[in-house]
Amino acid sequence: MTGGGSSIPEVQDLLAALVASKPGGKIAELGTAFGAGARAIAEALPPDATFVTIESDPARYSDACAALAGTPAEVVNGRWEDILPPRGPFDLIFFDGGTRGPSFELAISLLAPGGILIKDDLTPGRPVAGDPVREAFFQDPRLASVELLTTPTTAVIVAVRRF
């Protein structure tokens, strides 16, 4: 949907609303890109919450640092799989990585019970069966998931960790 660029304004609004509901929370973003989603999170961050965003690409990291200067976002260059585990659990994760294999398992393990996992850049209305992203979110017993339209042609999945 975004070609690895920035989250759309509708997703940014959703992120801001969900982050604002997590006072004292620990928030993480996996894949900062150019910082648009991170800015929405940082600007909505309650005063006693923390936010770390990870970008593995050095050029995007540099752009994100500039875009997020002056915000409470901690921008880190590296692999989230290496950086976030010792910092968890998290109350909200904006997850824009793949859902196959160990990355998805690791992302779920980083969520606190009741924590929210958000996946964007989806085409709405596709069946669960045969779609690896939807299968991962909707068939995992640890998650309660719902697909939400963000525009007539885009969707996100919002999942809550049950246990």
Side-chain angles (χ1 to χ4, degrees), residues 70-120:
T71 73
E74 177 188 0
V75 187
V76 179
N77 182 224
R79 288 174 22 94
W80 68 265
E81 296 94 332
D82 300 328
I83 295 164
L84 292 182
R87 296 176 175 225
F90 293 92
D91 299 296
L92 186 143
I93 297 174
F94 183 29
F95 178 63
D96 212 10
T99 53
R100 294 183 188 202
S103 290
F104 185 67
E105 289 298 316
L106 181 56
I108 293 173
S109 77
L110 292 174
L111 279 175
I116 299 171
L117 186 63
I118 304 157
K119 175 74 175 134
D120 74 343

Side-chain angles (χ1 to χ4, degrees), residues 19-20 22-25 42 44-50 72:
V19 165
K22 295 292 184 183
L45 201 65
D48 54 348
T50 62

